[in-house]
Amino acid sequence: MNRRAVIVTGPGFQDHDVVYTYYRLLEEGWHADVATRDGGEVTGKYGVPLPMDKTAKPLVSFDQLDVAGYDAVILTGGHEAPDRVRQDARVLDFVRGMDAAGKVVAGLCHGPWIMVSAGVLRGRKACAYIGLRDDVVNAGAHVVDGDVVVDGHIVTCSYYGYVGRFMQAVFQTVRNRTATPEPVAP
């Protein structure tokens, strides 16, 4: 089964977050989209352009986000991008829809800011980058110290240096959520 994920980001994204998550998704055989406000090109904090190279697909716009089309959404950091993205109602509706459908909603570094604005962290365990810890607490999450925290289908990562463990958790959480149970013999 071909898994599908979308990385949601904007201008000033944390280059490491987007580059690593995108290529890890491809490496695992996933279909990976990158969504920006209007599907237009954006540049990361350290100058990485999206799309990244000539092999990358064109970007999709926030208007094209559809819960039925994805197994996971990855919300990347770089404080400027998630702060801009969380102001867009289309993204917040999409993240709420992914949560309601029990699909993986994963936030890396400052990415959980989008989860805060979408209201999907209330009552959840999460970890948080120190710069948004108060926001995550005020959103009703139980913040625990940790590099990566999984609570059901919600995955949070406190810092981009842990992106490898974060992606492992995303892949495992999707596998766990979509595993077909073994038939029970009568």
Side-chain angles (χ1 to χ4, degrees), residues 16-150:
H16 309 80
D17 292 9
V18 174
V19 171
Y20 187 89
T21 58
Y22 180 78
Y23 287 110
R24 275 298 288 130
L25 289 164
L26 296 182
E27 183 179 44
E28 289 293 316
W30 285 48
H31 172 94
D33 285 329
V34 178
T36 61
R37 186 174 55 82
D38 59 5
E41 296 178 8
V42 295
T43 303
K45 185 175 179 178
Y46 299 109
V48 170
L50 290 178
M52 289 178 269
D53 60 43
K54 65 183 179 181
T55 66
K57 296 181 298 307
L59 304 173
V60 298
S61 81
F62 293 166
D63 287 328
Q64 295 171 280
L65 295 174
D66 178 18
V67 171
Y70 297 105
D71 298 291
V73 57
I74 297 175
L75 307 166
T76 59
H79 69 278
E80 180 184 353
D83 193 33
R84 289 177 186 223
V85 168
R86 71 189 190 136
Q87 298 174 45
D88 194 302
R90 297 170 296 178
V91 171
L92 300 182
D93 288 343
F94 173 68
V95 170
R96 285 185 205 108
M98 291 289 285
D99 177 49
K103 295 189 175 186
V104 173
V105 178
L108 172 59
C109 203
H110 275 81
W113 250 351
I114 301 164
M115 299 161 86
V116 164
S117 293
V120 301
L121 290 178
R122 181 164 304 286
R124 306 264 188 195
K125 269 194 315 186
C127 59
Y129 180 72
I130 190 66
L132 64 117
R133 182 181 181 94
D134 291 345
D135 298 320
V136 175
V137 168
N138 290 333
H142 173 68
V143 176
V144 296
D145 288 331
D147 302 341
V148 177
V149 172
V150 178

Side-chain angles (χ1 to χ4, degrees), residues 178-184:
T178 58
T180 305
E182 293 289 325
V184 177

Side-chain angles (χ1 to χ4, degrees), residues 1 3 71 171-181:
M1 173 186 277
R3 303 281 185 221
D71 298 291
F171 296 136
Q172 186 61 51
T173 303
V174 169
R175 282 192 296 272
N176 292 347
R177 309 249 354 128
T178 58
T180 305

